Amino acid sequence: MGCAPSITVSQSGVVYCRDSDESNSPKPSSFSQQQHVHITTGGGGGGGDISEALPGASTTTTVTVYHGRTDRRGTISIEAETQTSRSSVTMKGVASEVLFGPMKLTQPTMQIMLVFAKEDAQSDGFWWAADKGGYKCNIVRNPTDAIECFLEKQHDLVVIDNRNSKSFDALALCRSIRATKNSEHTVMVAVSKKSSGEKEEASVMPLLNAGFNRRYQENPHTSACLNELIQLELGEVRSQFKLKVANSLFAALETCSDAVEITGENNIVQYVNSTHEQLTGYSSEEVLGKESDLPRGDKNKAELMDTIFTQLRKGKVWEGMLHTKKKNGDSVPQTVRITPVIGGGGRVRHHVFTKRSPSLSSSGSLHNQVYSHEIQHLEKVTSDLSNGGPSLNRRQSVARIHSMTIEAPITKVINIINAAQENSPLTVVQALDRVLEILRSSELYNPQNTQVKEEDQMTNDLVGGLMTHGTYTGGRRRLSAELSLSKGPINQLTASPPTHLNQAPPEVLKILEQETTWKFNILELERVTAHRPLIYLGLKAFSRFNVCGFLGINETVLRNWLQVIEANYHSSNPYHNSTHAADVLQATAFFLGKERLKEAFEPADEVASLIAATVHDVDHPGKTNSFLCNAGSELAILYNDTAVLESHHSALAFQLTTREDRCNLFKELDRDDYRALRHTIIDMVLATEMNKHFEHLSKFVNSINKPTHREGDDSTSQASTTGGSTPDSSHITTPENRALIRRMLIKCADVCNPARPLDICITWAKRISQEYFNQTDEEKKRGLPVVMPVFDRTTCSVPKSQTSFVDYFIMDMFDAWDGFLDCSELIEQLNNNYKYWKGEEEKEQRVKKAAIDASKEISEENETEKS
């Protein structure tokens, strides 16, 4: 009839438009004419139904109604936006902050377009849902107006009626919208008929192929429609919003002065920027979808490339100088930074390469740039180490060793020399190899005795008297690393079953059956032995390695010695007691049973290791070295504030051992053999001092791990011709390297609690925390500096203390130990325990946050009451 459409106001304040003649058959309309209706209601005054629905509220509503030409049917388009200062409905569609990586974004209110040929319950359901959600919404009635409206508004969400193909083809409309510019970030939803239970549900593939993202089965209830809109807003629409923002990042990459290359986990190039073409000569079409050419530089050493990619697989950044082959065949040096990107499953999914040619730099010679770049890289790595590493996505140990970034000053020097070798002549490379060999030795500043002339007796005697520890054997000093008894004891005994152990209670013997396994429960042995597990475990472990036979003593002497040592551990200590000593002894024996150590060690190494593990914390006071130094204790004064406890443990151990023949393990050894064994035991006990942790670890990685795996790689490559692939392990049997291995052995055994079965790990964590709590209490009571303030029993987070300890001290050390010894079960348990502590830490954080939020609410309520 040509009448103007009537305006109806909903109770929530949104204006809705219906044709006055028949709601299901809207009059012909078009975008050619518009009618604007502004309705404002104010609280307190006469406002009819609106003021009654929203008392005290002020609402402004703008409605734009498009209508006009009579040559097109079903083309009504309505846009309604509401601004309500007070409503009983929680508004979901307001602009919200969104984090996209380091970017902080604001997602605008979602814009929706509904495409329904006629008004019905379903279109009403979505309309009222948009009303309640606070979203901007348009309704159009035919495909032509749908495309026009979309081009104008660029909606975030388009809902198309696909229930009746007679009015229009929903799939064709979707394809048409997808063909427009910038539509790839719009979410398309098809409304389908509800399938009956008797018929098989139709496939969604035709919808997906047409460009739809989602199917909505007919449900006109407003709540169902609102739930769908909210899920879409926080799901697909938000994801598409982030992807739109990513365009700005690509724009930044295209204007970047560095060449940028992004590869997938299979090293296939996925993106290069325009600078990459300028630097290499290759266009994007020539490299995209192909393997990255980085490893193909003929001047890049295979060892360096292995180091790079094993480090990247670990999730760590690599930075340095590499050669890249240009399109014209030239090999050019480039400053390269490779950043691994962690994706789904916690795995490295992409690598980002940023490359810069030294010629592009405006300052300094190439040599100075390389040197400066190496220094910056090393300083960064050192900083990263001090902050701890998040990554626990462990790989095979062989692949992890070369990526160790334990940067002491000496390893900085080694890395600079390695970098200098890259572009040096062969003679220089060989000379630098010799330099590296010298730098990796354990005694850098001790002169070699071979420089002293044999006929110069005065100098020989001075060297022997002033520079050696104990007996000097005429012109040849016994190095601290050398442990090889000059001759076997006169009355060396053969291995025999431990008779004293046979007298132990059955429950003790039952537990000791598991002594050779990593899951051995030392806490259960502690329980059944009334907190005296060391003697029983000691008899079993020492018997397995025939210690009595090696030392030429009988088992009674060993038993007496174990009793004396255990009696001098403080049972009142929560952690540093004889149970801890027994635990370290069991771990040491477990490691000694591995084939790798059997290849490297002599019997004397095994005996020294077992004894050192037994005595390494004897008479521990339950306080740290720092506490003793701050308190001015007698021990700190005696040992000049240097390795106080470790020096005391080793000194007291030998005092107790040699005091009486009845417990003297060494009484059958001659002087030289005793001195060698004693020196080795002391060296191992002193290695447990945490001040030297990174020094010992760095030496082990550079002198044991990396040379071992280089040999392994070489032997593997020759396996086809030689018929074998076992690496030459002769270098690990040198006295110096055996000393490094012994130190790493006792260090790993001493702090192996985080890798024990979870229940045992938890108990040890609580015990060490309790001991630190006691120290903090004592420090506060005596007015001493609080060494570890975080270990306050009222505020300390035990899970956080465990994850921090593992991140900083344990993970890299156990990686290196596993790479040498092959003890994957420890690494697996360590990772599982770490995940547990992380979970507990997150629980604590959630509880704290809830408590803070509750406190804020109470404070706000109190402030409100006061006001």
Side-chain angles (χ1 to χ4, degrees):
M1 293 175 54
C3 343
S6 63
I7 305 298
T8 305
V9 182
S10 71
Q11 290 185 352
S12 61
V14 175
V15 178
Y16 187 65
C17 296
R18 300 176 186 268
D19 191 271
S20 58
D21 283 347
E22 48 182 322
S23 61
N24 291 330
S25 300
K27 291 295 179 183
S29 61
S30 158
F31 290 104
S32 60
Q33 297 182 14
Q34 301 180 1
Q35 176 181 352
H36 299 275
V37 181
H38 298 274
I39 301 177
T40 303
T41 63
D49 295 338
I50 298 178
S51 61
E52 293 176 7
L54 295 172
S58 177
T59 304
T60 300
T61 302
T62 301
V63 178
T64 304
V65 181
Y66 300 101
H67 63 97
R69 293 200 306 262
T70 59
D71 59 342
R72 209 175 343 164
R73 292 192 56 81
T75 56
I76 182 169
S77 175
I78 305 165
E79 177 181 0
E81 302 178 29
T82 65
Q83 298 173 340
T84 307
S85 61
R86 178 180 175 187
S87 173
S88 60
V89 180
T90 302
M91 304 300 285
K92 303 291 184 182
V94 296
S96 58
E97 288 187 353
V98 177
L99 293 180
F100 181 36
M103 297 181 71
K104 189 174 183 180
L105 313 171
T106 300
Q107 182 178 357
T109 303
M110 183 169 67
Q111 294 193 72
I112 305 170
M113 179 170 70
L114 306 178
V115 185
F116 286 80
K118 59 182 179 179
E119 178 186 339
D120 62 3
Q122 186 62 69
S123 65
D124 286 351
F126 274 115
W127 175 268
W128 295 121
D131 166 21
K132 288 188 175 181
Y135 304 117
K136 298 177 181 179
C137 187
N138 299 105
I139 298 180
V140 295
R141 299 302 187 195
N142 67 26
T144 303
D145 287 334
I147 294 174
E148 289 183 17
C149 186
F150 177 78
L151 290 174
E152 178 187 353
K153 298 292 185 181
Q154 292 292 316
H155 301 86
D156 303 302
L157 174 64
V158 176
V159 182
I160 302 177
D161 188 4
N162 186 44
R163 295 170 298 171
N164 189 350
S165 60
K166 294 181 180 179
S167 301
F168 56 79
D169 188 341
L171 274 63
L173 174 58
C174 180
R175 293 190 189 96
S176 298
I177 293 177
R178 285 295 187 206
T180 63
K181 187 177 180 181
N182 298 326
S183 65
E184 68 270 21
H185 299 303
T186 296
V187 178
M188 309 283 288
V189 177
V191 178
S192 300
K193 291 182 179 180
K194 185 181 296 184
S195 59
S196 60
E198 298 144 2
K199 292 184 180 179
E200 185 176 349
E201 186 170 319
S203 172
V204 297
M205 289 309 300
L207 298 176
L208 298 178
N209 292 335
F212 283 104
N213 302 92
R214 193 180 178 100
R215 180 181 67 184
Y216 178 80
Q217 288 195 334
E218 186 177 22
N219 186 342
H221 292 290
T222 303
S223 58
C225 295
L226 179 58
N227 287 337
E228 181 72 7
L229 295 181
I230 292 173
Q231 291 179 75
L232 287 166
E233 179 195 21
L234 301 182
E236 285 96 329
V237 172
R238 177 162 295 181
S239 297
Q240 292 298 330
F241 171 69
K242 292 179 180 179
L243 289 177
K244 280 193 287 188
V245 173
N247 290 330
S248 63
L249 302 180
F250 284 114
L253 288 173
E254 287 300 316
T255 59
C256 179
S257 61
D258 290 343
V260 179
E261 175 182 314
I262 301 177
T263 67
E265 55 186 324
N266 54 0
N267 205 34
I268 300 300
V269 179
Q270 298 174 332
Y271 170 83
V272 293
N273 66 349
S274 56
T275 309
H276 184 277
E277 180 175 355
Q278 301 171 15
L279 200 62
T280 65
Y282 288 102
S283 65
S284 60
E285 292 78 10
E286 292 175 295
V287 295
L288 292 181
K290 298 179 181 178
E291 185 177 359
S292 173
D293 67 343
L294 178 62
R296 297 175 185 168
D298 50 11
K299 292 187 179 181
N300 297 324
K301 289 187 176 181
E303 179 184 344
L304 175 62
M305 301 311 303
D306 290 342
T307 300
I308 293 173
F309 284 106
T310 51
Q311 179 161 340
L312 295 177
R313 281 192 291 270
K314 190 179 179 182
K316 294 187 177 181
V317 175
W318 184 89
E319 190 171 2
M321 292 296 298
L322 283 175
H323 284 79
T324 298
K325 185 175 290 186
K326 297 181 67 174
K327 187 175 182 179
N328 61 11
D330 294 342
S331 183
V332 295
Q334 293 179 332
T335 299
V336 180
R337 178 184 177 89
I338 311 175
T339 305
V341 181
I342 307 298
R347 295 177 55 190
V348 175
R349 301 294 185 179
H350 303 275
H351 293 101
V352 178
F353 298 76
T354 53
K355 310 174 189 179
R356 176 179 298 175
S357 175
S359 61
L360 297 179
S361 178
S362 59
S363 62
S365 66
L366 173 60
H367 172 77
N368 289 335
Q369 292 172 35
V370 173
Y371 180 80
S372 174
H373 190 79
E374 282 296 320
I375 293 296
Q376 293 173 11
H377 166 54
L378 295 168
E379 289 176 349
K380 177 188 180 302
V381 171
T382 306
S383 174
D384 289 346
L385 176 64
S386 65
N387 293 328
S391 175
L392 283 168
N393 191 19
R394 321 313 291 180
R395 298 291 184 266
Q396 294 296 326
S397 294
V398 173
R400 294 194 299 258
I401 295 309
H402 292 288
S403 61
M404 289 287 179
T405 53
I406 305 155
E407 299 296 344
I410 188 63
T411 50
K412 290 184 180 182
V413 173
I414 291 174
N415 285 337
I416 293 173
I417 294 174
N418 283 329
Q421 285 182 306
E422 292 301 310
N423 302 310
S424 301
L426 180 60
T427 55
V428 176
V429 171
Q430 292 173 342
L432 292 177
D433 281 337
R434 176 58 182 154
V435 172
L436 292 175
E437 182 181 343
I438 295 172
L439 290 177
R440 288 191 175 109
S441 66
S442 58
E443 298 184 350
L444 293 176
Y445 297 99
N446 285 330
Q448 299 295 315
N449 288 333
T450 54
Q451 298 174 355
V452 180
K453 296 180 180 180
E454 293 184 3
E455 63 271 15
D456 189 351
Q457 188 61 44
M458 176 64 73
T459 303
N460 273 322
D461 287 350
L462 287 173
V463 171
L466 300 178
M467 296 183 61
T468 61
H469 303 285
T471 304
Y472 176 66
T473 57
R476 178 182 179 275
R477 179 170 60 91
R478 183 183 293 275
L479 298 175
S480 63
E482 293 188 46
L483 177 59
S484 181
L485 300 194
S486 59
K487 59 183 178 180
I490 297 176
N491 299 318
Q492 185 168 9
L493 305 176
T494 58
S496 59
T499 56
H500 290 286
L501 189 59
N502 293 337
Q503 301 171 9
E507 58 269 29
V508 172
L509 296 177
K510 181 68 174 176
I511 295 173
L512 288 176
E513 290 177 0
Q514 302 297 318
E515 175 260 339
T516 60
T517 69
W518 187 248
K519 294 182 179 180
F520 177 74
N521 194 335
I522 191 65
L523 302 177
E524 188 64 17
L525 184 62
E526 175 193 63
R527 183 186 65 81
V528 300
T529 60
H531 293 267
R532 290 297 178 186
L534 185 57
I535 181 173
Y536 295 102
L537 185 66
L539 287 171
K540 182 69 181 296
F542 278 56
S543 172
R544 178 152 66 96
F545 291 92
N546 192 25
V547 174
C548 291
F550 182 85
L551 296 174
I553 60 175
N554 58 47
E555 192 189 53
T556 301
V557 175
L558 174 61
R559 183 198 61 185
N560 294 338
W561 179 77
L562 287 169
Q563 288 176 334
V564 169
I565 296 299
E566 185 158 38
N568 279 273
Y569 275 94
H570 299 188
S571 59
S572 58
N573 287 343
Y575 183 88
H576 288 101
N577 47 43
S578 66
T579 303
H580 168 65
D583 185 52
V584 176
L585 174 60
Q586 191 274 333
T588 300
F590 175 83
F591 294 146
L592 290 174
K594 293 287 186 178
E595 287 300 321
R596 192 66 167 152
L597 283 187
K598 291 179 181 178
E599 295 174 3
F601 279 2
E602 297 178 1
D605 296 295
E606 297 175 346
V607 172
S609 299
L610 294 171
I611 294 174
T614 305
V615 305
H616 82 284
D617 272 335
V618 66
D619 197 38
H620 196 294
K623 303 294 188 294
T624 63
N625 279 332
S626 297
F627 177 93
L628 298 179
C629 295
N630 290 334
S633 69
E634 292 183 0
L635 289 178
I637 295 172
L638 177 63
Y639 296 109
N640 299 314
D641 291 351
T642 303
V644 176
L645 285 173
E646 293 74 23
S647 299
H648 175 61
H649 300 324
S650 54
L652 180 62
F654 279 95
Q655 290 175 4
L656 297 173
T657 301
T658 59
R659 184 175 296 169
E660 300 179 63
D661 273 2
R662 60 182 291 271
C663 61
N664 189 352
L665 300 180
F666 313 117
K667 62 183 179 180
E668 298 297 337
L669 299 179
D670 65 24
R671 180 174 299 177
D672 287 346
D673 291 339
Y674 167 67
R675 295 288 299 173
L677 194 62
R678 165 178 159 79
H679 198 113
T680 301
I681 294 169
I682 293 173
D683 181 73
M684 292 186 70
V685 175
L686 292 179
T688 61
E689 181 193 13
M690 293 306 291
N691 279 348
K692 298 292 184 71
H693 173 79
F694 292 107
E695 177 182 338
H696 294 313
L697 178 54
S698 181
K699 287 181 178 179
F700 183 83
V701 169
N702 286 285
S703 298
I704 305 297
N705 283 124
K706 292 184 178 180
T708 297
H709 294 300
R710 280 198 295 269
E711 291 167 1
D713 293 340
D714 293 342
S715 63
T716 301
S717 64
Q718 298 171 1
S720 59
T721 59
T722 62
S725 60
T726 303
D728 178 15
S729 59
S730 59
H731 83 283
I732 67 174
T733 60
T734 63
E736 292 81 4
N737 285 344
R738 281 178 20 237
L740 296 178
I741 296 170
R742 289 194 301 266
R743 293 168 192 161
M744 187 59 57
L745 183 154
I746 196 168
K747 283 180 62 61
C748 289
D750 188 28
V751 291
C752 69
N753 307 144
R756 290 291 192 181
L758 181 59
D759 56 337
I760 300 175
C761 169
I762 293 173
T763 299
W764 283 121
K766 292 179 179 178
R767 290 187 178 188
I768 190 63
S769 298
Q770 183 59 47
E771 198 164 286
Y772 288 158
F773 294 159
N774 294 343
Q775 175 173 310
T776 300
D777 292 344
E778 183 72 12
E779 287 167 335
K780 292 179 178 179
K781 180 180 178 181
R782 297 172 59 176
L784 298 174
V786 178
V787 176
M788 296 180 288
V790 294
F791 283 96
D792 186 314
R793 67 177 70 251
T794 61
T795 59
C796 180
S797 167
V798 174
K800 175 61 177 175
S801 71
Q802 287 298 297
T803 57
S804 298
F805 183 67
V806 170
D807 281 335
Y808 194 74
F809 292 107
I810 299 301
M811 194 60 74
D812 279 342
M813 183 171 71
F814 271 74
D815 276 347
W817 189 236
D818 176 39
F820 168 72
L821 197 64
D822 187 16
C823 45
S824 56
E825 59 184 305
L826 275 70
I827 301 299
E828 181 179 359
Q829 187 64 60
L830 176 63
N831 288 333
N832 291 338
N833 293 349
Y834 184 89
K835 291 176 183 177
Y836 166 81
W837 289 120
K838 270 294 184 183
E840 293 299 303
E841 182 183 344
E842 291 169 359
K843 288 180 183 178
E844 287 188 351
Q845 291 173 351
R846 288 195 294 269
V847 171
K848 288 181 180 179
K849 185 178 183 301
I852 293 173
D853 292 343
S855 177
K856 287 182 178 179
E857 289 180 4
I858 294 174
S859 299
E860 291 173 357
E861 290 176 358
N862 293 337
E863 290 295 329
T864 302
E865 292 176 358
K866 290 179 182 179
S867 60

